[in-house]
Amino acid sequence: MRTALPACLLVCSALLVTGCGSDGGTKGPASVATPAAPTGMSPTASPNPTGTGTRLTDDQAQRMALVQAAKVPWDKAAGTATGAVAGSELVAIELRRYEGGATASPAPSPGSPEWAAEVAGQNGTVHRVLVDAVSGSVLRSQAETDQDADDMRELTDRLTKAQVTPEQAVKTATGRKQGTVTDVHLDSEDNTLVWSVDLVNEQDWSKTAFDIDAASGEVLREQVDKD
């Protein structure tokens, strides 16, 4: 028994040393490899073309695709939209992906950029006009059918109170920050009539939203969305 005991202790010691691993003397369990994230679950979506090594979020990638594909700027598209309805004024215009519904031929392919505009006729009737953001042609022009007299009167009143034009509002926004205009619309914030203007920065594809007082031209809000 006296001979067997030291041998047993030697075997146990060897097992303990083997279990510790070669970690420079640090005691504890061996490290376990972290499993890879499932495909498609990454918080970022696509490589950044600026070469900075960072990656774009889904929203940034969508902004990049739309802005780079569009050949017609907002003001030219707005002029085309108001020209499609005699005596009309711009209420809103937004760059987006083509969602179908064109009455003109040939229709753009799905996913192509289009300008979706709302213009108000002389009696306040809203017309929705789609403008191809590549060719500049009118894809569809259609009057809203669910407006009543109060809706038309309210819109006419808003346009009358808007002393600042959409072009002036955009000039104010781009004077504060460079970017491509992707949205301009007349809105009411806290009972104040404003022109909301969205600018996309083509360096990091962030979006800056401005609220500009439609009566005085004062910038009431400037908010950056980097996602």
Side-chain angles (χ1 to χ4, degrees):
M1 292 293 294
R2 292 181 180 178
T3 304
L5 184 58
C8 179
L9 291 175
L10 287 173
V11 172
C12 292
S13 298
L15 290 173
L16 287 172
V17 171
T18 303
C20 292
S22 56
D23 58 355
T26 303
K27 295 181 180 181
S31 61
V32 179
T34 302
T39 304
M41 295 299 291
S42 173
T44 53
S46 58
N48 190 334
T50 60
T52 59
T54 58
R55 293 173 67 86
L56 299 179
T57 66
D58 288 340
D59 287 345
Q60 289 171 333
Q62 290 174 11
R63 292 181 198 128
M64 180 184 72
L66 276 175
V67 169
Q68 290 184 341
K71 306 304 179 185
V72 178
W74 84 273
D75 52 347
K76 186 174 181 180
T80 299
T82 53
V85 180
S88 63
E89 295 182 64
L90 183 70
V91 179
I93 190 165
E94 177 190 11
L95 182 63
R96 68 182 190 185
R97 294 187 181 279
Y98 172 66
E99 299 177 352
T103 55
S105 182
S109 58
S112 297
E114 70 174 4
W115 288 102
E118 291 184 6
V119 301
Q122 293 178 340
N123 63 347
T125 301
V126 171
H127 296 252
R128 299 190 183 277
V129 184
L130 303 183
V131 179
D132 191 317
V134 177
S135 68
S137 61
V138 174
L139 300 174
R140 186 183 71 192
S141 178
Q142 186 174 9
E144 283 288 331
T145 58
D146 59 351
Q147 281 186 294
D148 58 25
D150 289 338
D151 293 332
M152 292 186 286
R153 190 180 305 110
E154 180 181 356
L155 181 55
T156 301
D157 184 56
R158 282 188 173 191
L159 290 169
T160 301
K161 291 179 179 178
Q163 299 299 310
V164 175
T165 67
E167 291 81 7
Q168 290 170 331
V170 168
K171 185 176 180 180
T172 297
T174 54
R176 293 175 67 106
K177 180 166 289 190
Q178 291 186 341
T180 299
V181 177
T182 58
D183 188 290
V184 182
H185 64 273
L186 190 63
D187 202 357
S188 180
E189 294 290 341
D190 298 326
N191 295 320
T192 300
L193 193 63
V194 300
W195 282 107
S196 291
V197 179
D198 286 354
L199 300 179
V200 171
N201 184 315
E202 294 189 35
Q203 298 301 315
D204 60 7
W205 302 106
S206 62
K207 179 182 73 176
T208 303
F210 290 90
D211 281 345
I212 298 167
D213 193 310
S216 68
E218 178 187 357
V219 176
L220 303 178
R221 181 178 71 101
E222 179 178 347
Q223 182 174 347
V224 180
D225 179 3
K226 293 189 175 181
D227 293 335

